[in-house]
């Protein structure tokens, strides 16, 4: 029997109209997919609007943004929006939250993000209590699954205190193991979700180029660079960047533990299973391809990814 997985559809790659069609098809045909994440990308389509549309066309999928920068949102308005969505769609909406760019004072921003997330949870719990103070037997509870974006161990520990789950991104199974060990007993309280970025192209060279460009881009971010250093792959990414400048796309084997390009059925299955063994409860396939690709190709790669696990 297939194990549960999640799927992340990036709006820059899968525009809203296409995503809505895919959400309907996945809901109907791929029962192993339980959660659909809609990454919230600055200066792109608005993820909460897409989430609402996906919930409208589905019956069982849990759908939510992964992740919103909660410091950019008014808590009272967010509370009202979530309450409305949960009432409309039977508590199938979930919320992914994060800091976004940490800026010069990351500790301050993280603290404020955690306080806002807890304040939102408290508001919803209070509202749920009021709704159930009726003489009817109907349950009006507002239930909300919250995932906190947590790249490093310290953030994972803080996030575990206020959330139902932690969302990891672009990391190796070894990094997952370090997070699990650091959490200790807190690990029992939270669901671990991890974005597994998988790149697709018409040719292997095209898929590997997309993968290589993503590694080079993320390595420029200090928090990811430190993670890559801990995994002892930072030098391999530097090698990759140098090769890209020369027009070469060969990806070192060490990086294929973190991400994959045009994987075969068996390679993708093994890749996902390695993360499960490391401690990930809900692997989240995050397919990438050129945004300019035609929609039939994009539909094909999504269906192949979820079919094969």
């Amino acid at each position: 029997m297939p194990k549960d997985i999640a799927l992340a559809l990036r709006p820059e790659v899968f525009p809203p109209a296409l995503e809505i069609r895919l959400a309907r098809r996945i809901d109907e045909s791929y029962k192993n997919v339980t959660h659909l994440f809609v990454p919230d990308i600055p200066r792109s389509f608005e993820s909460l609007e897409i989430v609402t549309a996906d919930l409208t066309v589905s019956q069982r999928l849990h759908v939510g943004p992964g992740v919103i920068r909660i410091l950019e949102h008014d808590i009272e308005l967010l509370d009202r929006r979530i309450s409305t969505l949960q009432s409309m769609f039977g508590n199938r909406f979930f919320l992914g939250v994060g800091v976004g760019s940490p800026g010069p004072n990351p500790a301050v921003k993280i603290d404020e993000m955690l306080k806002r997330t807890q304040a939102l949870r408290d508001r919803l719990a209070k509202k749920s209590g009021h709704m159930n103070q009726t003489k009817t037997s109907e349950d009006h509870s507002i239930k909300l699954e919250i995932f906190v974006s947590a790249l490093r161990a310290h953030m994972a520990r803080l996030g575990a205190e206020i959330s139902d789950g932690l969302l990891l991104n672009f990391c190796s199974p070894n990094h997952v193991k370090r997070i699990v060990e650091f959490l200790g007993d807190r690990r029992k309280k939270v669901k671990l979700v991890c974005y597994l970025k998988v790149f697709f192209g018409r040719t292997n060279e095209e898929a590997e180029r997309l993968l290589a460009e993503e590694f080079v881009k993320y390595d420029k971010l200090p928090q990811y660079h430190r993670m890559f250093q801990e995994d002892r792959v930072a030098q391999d990414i530097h090698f990759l960047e140098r090769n890209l400048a020369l027009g070469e796309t060969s990806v070192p084997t060490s990086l294929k533990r973190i991400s994959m390009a045009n994987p075969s059925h068996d390679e993708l299955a093994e890749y996902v299973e390695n993360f499960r063994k490391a401690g990930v409860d809900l692997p989240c396939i995050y397919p990438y391809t050129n945004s300019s690709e035609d929609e039939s190709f994009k539909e094909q790669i999504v269906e192949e990814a979820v079919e094969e696990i």
Side-chain angles (χ1 to χ4, degrees), residues 11-217:
E12 292 172 313
V13 177
F14 302 91
L18 173 59
E19 167 152 343
I20 292 166
R21 293 203 304 274
L22 285 168
R24 179 186 288 113
R25 193 175 309 166
I26 291 164
D27 184 71
E28 293 174 349
S29 303
Y30 300 99
K31 305 302 183 185
N32 57 323
V33 181
T34 61
H35 288 64
L36 177 58
F37 286 78
V38 182
D40 189 55
I41 310 300
R43 296 176 295 279
S44 183
F45 296 104
E46 212 286 314
S47 64
L48 286 172
E49 302 299 334
I50 300 173
V51 166
T52 302
D54 288 344
L55 286 166
T56 301
V57 301
S58 61
Q59 298 295 319
R60 57 167 193 87
L61 273 177
H62 289 246
V63 189
V67 298
I68 64 166
R69 295 163 297 283
I70 197 167
L71 299 183
E72 298 175 3
H73 290 259
D74 178 85
I75 292 298
E76 181 178 354
L77 178 58
L78 190 58
D79 167 18
R80 292 174 59 199
R81 294 187 75 176
I82 291 171
S83 300
T84 304
L85 288 171
Q86 299 303 56
S87 178
M88 291 169 63
F89 300 112
N91 289 318
R92 288 192 293 118
F93 173 82
F94 65 81
L95 183 65
V97 299
V99 172
S101 176
N105 296 304
V108 173
K109 291 193 74 172
I110 289 170
D111 184 60
E112 182 61 25
M113 182 271 286
L114 294 169
K115 287 179 179 177
R116 284 205 177 194
T117 303
Q118 185 62 57
L120 175 65
R121 168 154 281 181
D122 292 343
R123 290 178 66 99
L124 290 168
K126 184 177 180 180
K127 182 179 293 184
S128 183
H130 287 322
M131 287 180 173
N132 279 317
Q133 289 177 357
T134 65
K135 295 181 180 180
T136 66
S137 59
E138 187 176 353
D139 183 5
H140 296 283
S141 297
I142 299 169
K143 301 178 178 68
L144 177 65
E145 196 172 28
I146 296 179
F147 297 96
V148 171
S149 176
L151 183 65
R152 309 298 301 282
H154 180 63
M155 184 66 225
R157 185 176 65 184
L158 294 173
E161 296 296 332
I162 61 149
S163 72
D164 304 285
L166 300 174
L167 179 59
L168 310 179
N169 179 43
F170 212 26
C171 63
S172 69
N174 284 339
H175 182 74
V176 174
K177 290 178 183 178
R178 289 196 295 270
I179 295 292
V180 169
E181 291 173 3
F182 188 80
L183 286 173
D185 289 341
R186 294 179 180 87
R187 170 69 182 91
K188 301 173 185 177
K189 301 178 182 178
V190 291
K191 180 185 295 184
L192 278 188
V193 183
C194 188
Y195 279 163
L196 308 185
K197 295 190 175 185
V198 185
F199 295 82
F200 295 92
R202 299 281 182 174
T203 64
N204 289 338
E205 182 180 8
E206 180 184 4
E208 290 197 347
R209 178 181 57 78
L210 291 170
L211 184 154
E213 290 173 349
E214 191 78 353
F215 268 113
V216 170
K217 180 179 75 174

Side-chain angles (χ1 to χ4, degrees), residues 251-266:
V251 177
T253 302
S254 63
L255 300 181
K256 293 180 181 179
R257 294 194 297 270
I258 299 172
S259 184
M260 301 208 78
N262 272 7
S264 68
H265 173 282
D266 291 341

